[in-house]
Amino acid sequence: MIFFAASPTWSSGSRGSGGIFDLDRKRRDLAGLDETMGRPGFWDDPQAAQQILQRRSVLKEGIDSGEALLSACDDAKALVELGKEGEPVHDDLVKAVDDLAAKLDATEVEMMLGGPHDHGNAILTIHPGAGGTEAQDWAEMLYRMYLRWVERRGYTLEIIDHQDGEEAGLKSATVLIRGKDAYGYLKAENGVHRLVRISPFDANARRHTSFASVYVYPDLDEDIEIEVDDKDLRVDTFRSSGKGGQHVNVTDSAIRITHIPTGIVAQCQNERSQHRNRETAMKLLKARLYDMERRKKDQERAIEEGAKKDIEFGSQIRSYVLHPYKLVKDVRTGLQTSQVEDVLDGGLDAFIKTYLLSRGPGEGRGAA
């Protein structure tokens, strides 16, 4: 795939404490977690133990990545010195530099994932814009694009809510995506996605422009408490929708929860149990309330710092043009490609990486 964008620069840090890797601190943190895991009764609370194991895994991967990068740098330097002495090291040096560049590239993206939930799972919701069947079909195309991206990354996906369109496409969809750094990557997809094409639903074969919104929230840990007053909630039950047949749920087990003060709505109809649907819908509602507060604080901080950044939902982030030419362009970074089919088949990594690099290291650390 051919992309056109300026390549961001990378700045190095020291090997010791305080550098970009801060390996000394990470090793101390890892040792502390290992000590905790070795204490009697560690597994008495399986959920808490699992969270510690996840933090340990993230720390260990960071240490291994930093050490591997420093080692690759040493190897390249050693070959340069041998070359200065007249040794035939050209092929080995090319290989070493390529290896170093690949490790730098991976580390550069890792440095961007410094938010409090970047290493966790993500909840992704898609809503079509105005335009009826055309917009709903575009929402379905986006839904498939993210399914394919999940498969490419080796992540797993759980459907929380999926409402089919009247004729084609979908009215809305919400999924839970599980995998390391899922939220850190997918937060780059927040915003409005625009499609330009010859509509397959137009008998006159005219060109149409459609919009769909993508919202991404962190899947919050159980130890993060979000207080929601029951009197602020309206809970509705309804029958799950479906395409018919033996899988239709004939009971009113689907749940819709409305947070009255904010108007935020969360619903789940994937489970046959009303209790399970309520739990999932409540979890989704808390994630959205948390994200709303985080964005408020980000906006307040941006105003204080005089930052001229659009940190709101609702802004167009990417255009997908299928006619009269083929082009996918990210309006935030300027990255573009003519390989539209590959992008719609889940080839999003270049767009995600470029956006994360444009945001700066660890942006969003102080959220909420």
Side-chain angles (χ1 to χ4, degrees):
M1 190 186 304
I2 305 299
F3 290 92
F4 307 91
S7 176
T9 57
W10 180 85
S11 57
S12 63
S14 67
R15 289 174 178 270
S17 177
I20 60 169
F21 308 118
D22 206 355
L23 294 180
D24 291 342
R25 178 188 61 78
K26 289 182 179 179
R27 291 189 185 104
R28 289 195 299 270
D29 291 346
L30 183 66
L33 291 179
D34 287 340
E35 182 182 351
T36 300
M37 293 170 59
R39 293 172 185 167
F42 172 72
W43 289 103
D44 290 350
D45 185 345
Q47 193 170 40
Q50 191 62 37
Q51 291 171 3
I52 290 176
L53 287 174
Q54 290 175 354
R55 287 199 291 269
R56 187 190 186 282
S57 176
V58 171
L59 268 177
K60 186 66 168 60
E61 287 184 13
I63 293 171
D64 291 345
S65 176
E67 290 178 341
L69 181 55
L70 293 175
S71 177
C73 187
D74 287 340
D75 291 345
K77 286 181 179 179
L79 287 169
V80 168
E81 293 302 320
L82 288 174
K84 289 179 179 179
E85 296 172 3
E87 296 291 333
V89 297
H90 177 269
D91 291 345
D92 291 335
L93 182 57
V94 168
K95 182 179 178 181
V97 170
D98 288 343
D99 180 55
L100 177 59
K103 287 183 169 61
L104 278 172
D105 191 59
T107 302
E108 192 173 30
V109 175
E110 289 175 12
M111 290 169 58
M112 302 303 109
L113 303 179
H117 307 292
D118 282 357
H119 297 299
N121 304 327
I123 298 170
L124 182 143
T125 298
I126 301 173
H127 290 294
T133 301
E134 176 68 22
Q136 291 174 8
D137 189 60
W138 171 224
E140 181 77 37
M141 291 170 64
L142 286 175
Y143 181 73
R144 179 189 178 277
M145 180 179 75
Y146 290 115
L147 291 183
R148 293 290 295 118
W149 181 82
V150 166
E151 292 174 3
R152 289 189 179 199
R153 299 289 307 184
Y155 291 167
T156 60
L157 180 144
E158 175 187 333
I159 299 174
I160 295 176
D161 183 63
H162 188 289
Q163 298 184 55
D164 296 320
E166 297 295 338
E167 298 180 26
L170 59 85
K171 292 182 178 178
S172 71
T174 300
V175 296
L176 171 62
I177 298 171
R178 292 189 174 94
K180 180 180 178 295
D181 302 332
Y183 176 68
Y185 290 131
L186 283 171
K187 66 183 181 183
E189 296 300 295
N190 263 321
V192 176
H193 297 245
R194 170 178 174 262
L195 172 70
V196 180
R197 66 169 176 174
I198 298 295
S199 173
F201 306 101
D202 188 333
N204 296 316
R206 291 172 296 187
R207 189 170 65 186
H208 285 245
T209 299
S210 304
F211 298 89
S213 298
V214 175
Y215 305 87
V216 182
Y217 315 93
D219 179 28
L220 300 179
D221 294 333
E222 294 296 330
D223 57 350
I224 297 178
E225 295 185 7
I226 308 295
E227 293 185 6
V228 180
D229 198 326
D230 288 342
K231 68 180 178 61
D232 291 335
L233 302 178
R234 184 177 70 246
V235 181
D236 301 307
T237 61
F238 61 98
R239 187 163 297 179
S240 300
S241 62
K243 294 182 179 295
Q246 61 179 336
H247 299 295
V248 169
N249 195 338
V250 296
T251 63
D252 292 341
S253 62
I255 293 290
R256 181 186 298 112
I257 302 177
T258 303
H259 186 248
I260 298 171
T262 62
I264 293 176
V265 178
Q267 68 181 41
C268 180
Q269 60 175 335
N270 189 52
E271 304 289 345
R272 290 183 175 272
S273 162
Q274 187 180 104
H275 178 70
R276 288 290 304 277
N277 280 331
R278 184 186 177 102
E279 281 186 350
T280 304
M282 196 65 194
K283 180 178 182 179
L284 179 58
L285 177 67
K286 289 183 176 181
R288 289 177 175 172
L289 289 171
Y290 177 90
D291 196 64
M292 182 186 70
E293 282 301 312
R294 180 185 66 81
R295 289 179 176 276
K296 282 183 181 177
K297 292 183 181 294
D298 283 350
Q299 189 176 38
E300 291 170 0
R301 186 166 57 251
I303 292 173
E304 291 173 0
E305 296 172 356
K308 297 180 180 178
K309 297 179 182 178
D310 184 1
I311 56 176
E312 294 297 319
F313 283 141
S315 57
Q316 182 180 316
I317 67 164
R318 195 174 302 141
S319 291
Y320 307 72
V321 180
L322 303 184
H323 185 84
Y325 51 87
K326 292 190 175 183
L327 184 73
V328 180
K329 181 175 181 178
D330 195 301
V331 300
R332 302 164 299 180
T333 65
L335 183 66
Q336 62 185 41
T337 177
S338 60
Q339 303 298 316
V340 180
E341 290 81 4
D342 184 73
V343 174
L344 291 175
D345 199 40
L348 296 170
D349 283 350
F351 288 103
I352 291 173
K353 175 191 170 185
T354 305
Y355 172 76
L356 292 176
L357 294 177
S358 73
R359 299 280 287 178
E363 188 161 322
R365 259 177 225 275

